[in-house]
Each structure stands twice: as C-alpha cells, then as structure tokens.
Amino acid sequence: SDASLVVRASLRELSETVYSQHLDTAVACISVCECGAAALDHAEASREKGWSLPASGKTLTLKGLTPFWLDRGSSVPNDVSLASGQMAFLTGPNASGKSTLLRSTAAAALLGASGLCAPISEGTVPHWDGILLRHATGDAPLYGKSSFEREMDAVAQLFRECSPDSLVLVDELGRGTSSTEGAAIGGAVLDELTDRKMRGV
C-alpha cells in the first residue's frame, strides 16, 4: 500500500541520516544503555545473594567474606584485613580452604575496586594498580620447563610487575620440593615482598 511505501521510505531516510551523521552518538548511547542494564542486573543479583558494596578506603577490609561461587548461607565467612605494606602468611592442612580464601579475596578486591558489590557483609577496598594472583602451575614439557622452573618464572614476573599499590596473592609456593626447601623459598619470597612494602597474602 501507499502508506507502507511512505513508512519504508521515511525509515530508510532516517537510518541513512543516523548512519551518515550520528553513528558515533548512537553507538555511545547503546553502550551507555548496555552498561546501565549490566549494573542493574548486578545490583539485583547482589541483593538476592546478600552481597554488599564496599566503601573506598586505604585498608583492605573484608568482613564476612565468602566464596563468590557458593551460597552465603552455606559457607563459613572469613574476615580479611590488610593495611598498606602488610603481608600475611596463611598456612594450614590440606583441603582446609587456603586457596579458596585467596581466590575469594582476589575476587572481592577486584569487584570492590570496580565499584561493584562483593560477597561480604561490609568492608573497604583501596584503589589498586594491579591484583596479582600466583597459583599452582604444572610443568611445560613443550618448552622444556619443569613445574619448579615455571613457578620461579611466575614469581620473577610477580616481582617485576607488583608495586606497593598492588594486591599480591601467592598460592602453593614450593610445590615439588622438600618441606625444608619449600619453607625456604616461601620465606625468601615473603621477606622480599615485605621489604618492598607490598600488601597481600
């Protein structure tokens, strides 16, 4: 019909105008809408999960921290507090939750620094220039590297990239060594991080 042709012609003209003159504005508007929708979804999901929005502060304080992948009601909460230049040493038996606590701390610190809710009851999060998590690695036969060599490469990279404004989390250091050697390596890394005024676990 004539009305249908007129509508199609008007829409075609409008789309050509937007594409030729206002494309950047349209893309920016769509991006803002997508960010707003994502923030709304996050806020609603956080409220349902019982997460809280940490405040900005100089000390990393995470009260009632739980793993982000578990229901808050079914997990035991932990409290984490790290002042600037403070390193903590975490030890315990196998399967006691050390790695879980480190990963939960990293996730909550990242979420809080991004202005998002975290799996905590309350807390404060500083502004980071980086969050560095060194976790267990395996060997790399293709590159001729043992697990120990890859671990030391990761620690060297950590020392190159971290600063006093970073959060440094080192997990399972010294695997594949004797107890004495592992303790010596862990102690040396902890001493170096402490001397550099790093903050982390």
Side-chain angles (χ1 to χ4, degrees):
S1 69
D2 291 341
S4 177
L5 292 174
V6 171
V7 169
R8 287 182 183 176
S10 298
L11 288 174
R12 188 177 299 112
E13 183 181 348
L14 178 62
S15 66
E16 288 173 358
T17 302
V18 170
Y19 184 77
S20 62
Q21 300 175 20
H22 307 289
L23 183 61
D24 292 342
T25 304
V27 169
C29 289
I30 291 169
S31 298
V32 169
C33 290
E34 288 292 328
C35 289
L40 180 61
D41 288 346
H42 173 75
E44 290 176 347
S46 297
R47 188 180 63 227
E48 290 174 6
K49 294 178 178 180
W51 291 14
S52 298
L53 182 65
S56 179
K58 294 184 178 180
T59 300
L60 175 64
T61 306
L62 305 171
K63 294 185 178 179
L65 173 66
T66 56
F68 64 89
W69 60 92
L70 295 176
D71 179 74
R72 284 183 60 78
S74 64
S75 54
V76 177
N78 290 283
D79 292 344
V80 175
S81 181
L82 291 170
S84 180
Q86 182 181 11
M87 289 297 301
F89 184 73
L90 180 64
T91 185
N94 288 337
S96 61
K98 300 182 297 296
S99 297
T100 298
L101 180 60
L102 282 179
R103 287 171 175 79
S104 300
T105 301
L110 177 59
L111 287 166
S114 302
L116 299 172
C117 296
I120 58 173
S121 56
E122 62 176 306
T124 58
V125 175
H127 174 74
W128 310 110
D129 66 4
I131 298 175
L132 303 144
L133 173 62
R134 201 227 69 85
H135 57 87
T137 55
D139 61 355
L142 184 62
Y143 300 103
K145 292 190 174 184
S146 66
S147 297
F148 180 75
E149 188 174 358
R150 289 195 64 206
E151 192 172 87
M152 293 301 101
D153 286 345
V155 169
Q157 181 180 3
L158 184 145
F159 284 140
R160 286 192 299 270
E161 295 180 2
C162 66
S163 81
D165 292 323
S166 304
L167 177 62
V168 181
L169 303 165
V170 181
D171 192 14
E172 297 195 29
L173 191 60
R175 291 179 67 202
T177 63
S178 70
S179 299
T180 305
E181 292 168 338
I185 292 167
V189 170
L190 182 62
D191 284 347
E192 181 65 21
L193 290 170
T194 302
D195 290 345
R196 292 187 183 202
K197 307 296 184 193
M198 299 299 159
R199 175 176 6 207
V201 182

